[in-house]
Amino acid sequence: MKRLTLDEARRVALTAQGFGRRQSLEEAVLRIGLLQIDFVNVLIPAHFLIPFSRIGPYDRAQLHSLVYRKYRFTEQWAHEASIVPVEHWPLLQHRRAAHRVRPYGFDSVLRKHAGYAEWVLEQIRARGPLAAEDLEPPPGVARKLHAVWMGMFPRAVLEAHFGRGLIACANRLPNYARSYDLPERIVPREYLETSIPVREQQHGLLRIAAAAHGVGTARDLADYHRMNIRDARERLREMTAAGELEEVIVDGWREPAFLPAGARIPHAHRGAALLSPFDPLVWFRPRAERLFGFEYRIEIYTPAAKRRWGYYVLPFLLNGQLVARVDLKAINGGAIIDHETPFERRIVAVEK
């Protein structure tokens, strides 16, 4: 098998993720295949930072338009809740069919209130896009759900319908809440009516993951869309046998990796970027450690006394390496940034 040095693997991965390329906002999101949605707002909601890391300053209204006006992208459960190209809708059909209703145990509540769940769909069908705040709960049921992130009974019902593909996300309101509409009013018919066998859906998702990784192990590629590892290994064997992927060895990795057929090894990367904790380059922490020798965890749910690096720490990418962790809530700034050149920023107070 072909062998890659760790430096070559890093260069392939960074190029695949769109670092160091001149590209539009739309091109950047299409290249990585999805944006994991997260509204932890220490800096900005995390998914807004992902394109910024690749293309620099951009108009967030343009991203909103691409997703919720032009419907070039849509929201789906992919990695986690994600923004994905609308043409990926057929590839996620099996995910919608197997969607686990949240919060845990709420599926039994839905069955108990099946009439209300159908009424919600009828309201959207008749009235157009609706948010949770536009709906009342069924008689005798409290509006608030305690100790769960969804907050309201109507929202939990809407989210269950959304996860199963009975409704789609029509918009994000100023408070970031979803409004929902029927999929046929959002997803083009050519994608909505396309039915693909599950095996081919998995092939399609792994093609996206392989292109976005550049090089990755079976576990790396499976994690991109939260695919069962056994299914992923079988599909990857088929794709390798068909000549779509090439199995390679990366120095220091215990498992073989997969490289899109015909991929070239790019030149070294120059430049700097601050990364979201939910950036696809680092979200699968074992890969970040193998690829960059960089141990990283998000510690917002870790008790303060047990945190190693800070409440909300962002990885810092410099010239093809993850070189620092930047704690945005550190009292003294967490890092000293020396702006020596327009393209290089050297963090000198926070070390790897």
Side-chain angles (χ1 to χ4, degrees):
M1 287 187 286
K2 180 187 292 186
R3 180 180 291 272
L4 300 182
T5 67
L6 196 53
D7 180 66
E8 289 173 330
R10 282 193 291 264
R11 284 186 265 151
V12 169
L14 289 166
T15 298
Q17 278 289 307
F19 291 96
R21 299 181 65 95
R22 289 186 178 275
Q23 57 193 325
S24 69
L25 173 62
E26 182 175 353
E27 289 169 339
V29 181
L30 284 171
R31 179 173 296 278
I32 60 179
L34 55 85
L35 299 179
Q36 181 181 340
I37 299 168
D38 192 274
F39 285 98
V40 174
N41 203 10
V42 177
L43 178 60
I44 56 172
H47 52 288
F48 294 142
L49 181 57
I50 296 170
F52 177 83
S53 300
R54 289 152 176 78
I55 65 174
Y58 68 94
D59 184 358
R60 281 166 49 183
Q62 183 185 359
L63 179 61
H64 187 92
S65 178
L66 285 169
V67 182
Y68 309 109
R69 294 290 181 269
K70 298 178 180 178
Y71 297 129
R72 181 65 188 85
F73 300 86
T74 190
E75 292 192 23
Q76 279 279 274
W77 284 95
H79 183 73
E80 295 292 330
S82 304
I83 292 169
V84 301
V86 71
E87 58 265 32
H88 293 184
W89 180 275
L91 301 178
L92 295 165
Q93 183 178 11
H94 67 289
R95 289 286 302 274
R96 295 190 293 272
H99 179 72
R100 180 179 64 81
V101 174
R102 296 162 171 82
Y104 179 77
F106 194 75
D107 51 347
S108 63
V109 179
L110 274 179
R111 289 192 294 270
K112 180 179 178 181
H113 295 281
Y116 175 80
E118 182 58 35
W119 175 82
V120 167
L121 293 177
E122 291 172 358
Q123 290 295 300
I124 294 173
R125 191 173 295 114
R127 297 165 58 187
L130 295 176
E133 61 188 21
D134 298 320
L135 298 167
E136 294 298 323
V141 174
R143 184 173 184 79
K144 289 187 177 181
L145 292 175
H146 297 286
V148 296
W149 61 270
M150 292 184 185
M152 293 185 290
F153 189 93
R155 183 182 178 191
V157 174
L158 287 164
E159 285 293 316
H161 287 331
F162 169 75
R164 292 168 172 171
L166 300 177
I167 55 178
C169 182
N171 196 11
R172 284 282 181 171
L173 305 180
N175 64 354
Y176 297 133
R178 282 189 179 113
S179 68
Y180 308 80
D181 203 350
L182 301 179
E184 52 264 38
R185 296 172 182 165
I186 294 173
V187 181
R189 180 178 297 180
E190 62 182 299
Y191 305 127
L192 193 66
E193 296 181 354
T194 297
S195 182
I196 304 174
V198 172
R199 177 182 295 239
E200 292 306 314
Q201 293 176 44
Q202 294 170 339
H203 280 159
L205 294 178
L206 286 169
R207 288 187 192 102
I208 295 164
H213 278 76
V215 61
T217 67
R219 291 189 183 278
D220 297 338
L221 302 184
D223 179 74
Y224 214 66
H225 294 94
R226 297 291 200 235
M227 191 180 298
N228 177 280
I229 185 60
R230 292 182 182 178
D231 291 338
R233 290 190 192 281
E234 181 64 25
R235 301 292 86 78
L236 289 168
R237 281 194 290 269
E238 294 166 356
M239 294 168 72
T240 302
E244 291 188 58
L245 300 175
E246 182 179 2
E247 198 168 356
V248 299
I249 295 171
V250 177
D251 288 348
W253 291 15
R254 295 181 179 180
E255 296 182 41
F258 296 88
L259 185 75
R264 297 181 178 181
I265 308 301
H267 296 296
H269 278 262
R270 302 287 294 175
L274 202 59
L275 304 183
S276 159
F278 305 102
D279 194 294
L281 188 67
V282 296
W283 69 25
F284 191 48
R285 311 307 188 204
R287 182 173 188 259
E289 292 186 32
R290 272 185 279 111
L291 193 59
F292 295 99
F294 188 83
E295 187 178 356
Y296 176 61
R297 301 290 183 274
I298 186 169
E299 298 181 300
I300 57 177
Y301 301 114
T302 302
K306 295 183 178 181
R307 291 177 191 144
R308 297 179 62 188
W309 298 299
Y311 176 80
Y312 197 75
V313 172
L314 306 186
F316 190 80
L317 178 69
L318 178 66
N319 296 337
Q321 292 275 15
L322 292 177
V323 299
R325 304 171 184 88
V326 182
D327 182 3
L328 299 181
K329 298 193 78 171
I331 295 174
N332 294 319
I336 299 172
I337 301 179
D338 177 16
H339 298 270
E340 291 187 306
T341 76
F343 304 104
E344 292 189 9
R345 299 175 181 176
R346 192 163 301 168
I347 295 184
V348 297
V350 180
E351 296 183 348
K352 179 177 167 183

